[in-house]
Amino acid sequence: MSVPAFIDITEEDQASELRAYLKSKGSEISEENSEGGLHVDLAQIIEACDVCLKDDDKDVESVMNSIVSLLLILETEKQEALIESLCEKLLKFREGERPSLRMQLLSNLFHGMEENTLVRYTVYCSLIKVAATCNAIAFMPTELDQVRKWIVDWNLSTEKKHTMLRLVYEALVDCKKSEAAAKVMVELLGSYTEDNASQARVDAHRCIVRALKDQNTYLFDHLLALKPVRFLEGELIHDLLTIFVSARLVSYVKFYQSNKDFIESLGLSHDQNMEKMRLLTFMGMAVEMKEICFDTMQQELQISADDVEAFVIDAVRTKMVYCKLDQTQRKVVNLASVKTSLQTLSPTA
């Protein structure tokens, strides 16, 4: 990739010009190039570039792109520490301000590097962090197939892989892309093994709460199969998830009565939980029965006679259950549920 340069001269002269520019802006940097070579010059220039970042004038982008272009001509082994230093500067200085400029600089750096070089991981993580601060995650490549490819290409350690997936997940959540975030979290949790599943306790807990809170998520069976979630067996959060997977409304009400403070501590809405459990209970009933009388609906879903028809209409709108209303016989007929291939709910669950 061709990266814009500050001025079309030799690398040594370019470093000298950068030193002079930074000096003119108040930096204590020497105007003389280092005898240690270009990578030493760049280390000193990056350390001093704060004074440049303070400016809002048009020279800032050119100056920073000049630094990026010099970084890209260094040998790979000399790039890593310098790129990490520059990323840290772009992340921390004037945090929240001029995100488009910072994203452009990081993007230039990212796309100018060799595809398989490990330090691209650092740049990508920095891009994600900046994008999350300005709701620009939609402009970032976060598709799981691409992320998986980079994990392999960069030969990431387990820790770095988890860090990257977690960053992508949190950025997607912050930008209210709940469906994409859920897929990334499942990918993250699925990457743990029996040996390190205990380390994922926080991630697993967060995943469960996010899923239960999401008003468009109704199927949770796949979460129970994840090793880090299985590690939570015996804890209240796992008990709650199990209720949403395989129990009925009466079980949730009983759990809530005994653990009201716990539900509130998770930031979950009891009213929303009740609505979701009513639908899940109805879905379970649709697996077992082809028709249900209104009286049974009232009892199982804890709703009034006047609310049955409205509930059924809203349930059908979710496309999680299909049926027809027989108002004459006061029945719901031709029942079918997307849960038919899953475990049938027992009447006493």
Side-chain angles (χ1 to χ4, degrees), residues 19 84 153 166 169 180 199 269 301 326 330 337:
R19 284 176 172 275
E84 289 177 353
D153 289 347
R166 195 175 294 113
Y169 166 77
Q199 301 171 15
S269 164
L301 306 180
D326 186 337
R330 291 177 51 78
S337 168

Side-chain angles (χ1 to χ4, degrees), residues 44-261:
Q44 295 172 358
I45 288 168
I46 291 171
E47 180 63 28
C49 73
D50 301 69
V51 293
C52 169
L53 291 171
K54 290 177 182 178
D55 285 344
D56 290 325
D57 62 52
K58 61 183 179 181
D59 288 337
V60 175
E61 185 172 357
S62 295
V63 170
M64 296 306 298
N65 271 320
S66 180
I67 295 174
V68 169
S69 67
L70 289 175
L71 273 174
L72 293 175
I73 66 174
L74 287 177
E75 298 91 336
T76 302
E77 61 271 15
K78 293 180 179 179
Q79 286 181 341
E80 185 171 357
L82 296 176
I83 287 174
E84 289 177 353
S85 178
L86 180 60
C87 286
E88 186 176 358
K89 290 280 186 183
L90 292 173
L91 277 175
K92 291 185 176 180
F93 197 84
R94 298 182 66 168
E95 188 171 1
E97 294 185 37
R98 304 191 72 182
S100 60
L101 172 60
R102 293 189 290 152
M103 285 185 66
Q104 183 61 54
L105 294 169
L106 288 166
S107 181
N108 286 347
L109 183 57
F110 183 79
H111 292 291
M113 301 169 70
E114 293 291 333
E115 289 188 3
N116 294 343
T117 184
L118 174 59
V119 76
R120 285 188 98 201
Y121 158 81
T122 301
V123 183
Y124 178 73
C125 289
S126 299
L127 268 167
I128 291 294
K129 291 175 182 178
V130 175
T133 65
C134 58
N135 199 28
I137 200 69
F139 303 104
M140 294 297 303
T142 56
E143 297 80 6
L144 267 179
D145 286 344
Q146 179 62 75
V147 172
R148 291 188 190 110
K149 183 178 184 302
W150 282 332
I151 288 172
V152 174
D153 289 347
W154 301 338
N155 193 26
L156 295 185
S157 65
T158 299
E159 182 180 358
K160 280 185 167 63
K161 176 171 65 174
H162 291 166
T163 297
M164 190 163 94
L165 288 170
R166 195 175 294 113
L167 273 175
V168 173
Y169 166 77
E170 291 172 351
L172 290 169
V173 168
D174 289 343
C175 295
K176 304 189 185 307
K177 296 185 176 295
S178 58
E179 184 176 351
K183 291 179 180 178
V184 173
M185 178 54 81
V186 170
E187 179 81 8
L188 170 60
L189 294 181
S191 68
Y192 283 89
T193 65
E194 294 287 355
D195 294 334
N196 61 13
S198 62
Q199 301 171 15
R201 176 185 296 273
V202 173
D203 288 328
H205 195 281
R206 184 183 301 170
C207 178
I208 294 170
V209 173
R210 289 283 185 186
L212 297 181
K213 187 179 292 187
D214 187 350
Q215 296 184 30
N216 297 315
T217 300
Y218 300 100
L219 300 178
F220 310 95
D221 306 58
H222 62 292
L223 297 181
L224 284 178
L226 296 170
K227 294 181 180 67
V229 173
R230 293 208 307 266
F231 192 82
L232 297 175
E233 286 183 16
E235 298 186 20
L236 286 176
I237 189 66
H238 192 276
D239 294 343
L240 180 61
L241 175 62
T242 303
I243 288 172
F244 275 79
V245 169
S246 58
R248 289 192 173 175
L249 180 63
V250 63
S251 297
Y252 168 74
V253 172
K254 183 178 179 181
F255 180 91
Y256 176 73
Q257 289 171 346
S258 301
N259 302 283
K260 182 177 180 180
D261 291 343

Side-chain angles (χ1 to χ4, degrees), residues 282 290-295 297 305 308-310 312-313 316 322-335:
F282 187 43
K290 293 301 180 185
E291 62 178 46
I292 309 172
C293 67
F294 282 12
D295 289 343
M297 294 275 291
V308 171
E309 291 186 20
V312 172
I313 292 170
V316 171
Y322 304 91
C323 62
K324 292 182 179 180
L325 282 166
D326 186 337
Q327 293 158 315
T328 303
Q329 298 190 53
R330 291 177 51 78
K331 289 181 179 180
V332 181
V333 299
N334 298 333
L335 278 160

Side-chain angles (χ1 to χ4, degrees), residues 269-288:
S269 164
H270 174 58
D271 290 339
Q272 289 182 6
N273 288 347
M274 289 289 289
E275 290 179 13
K276 184 170 287 192
M277 278 305 303
R278 285 191 179 101
L279 177 60
L280 291 171
T281 300
F282 187 43
M283 288 165 59
M285 295 166 70
V287 172
E288 299 171 346

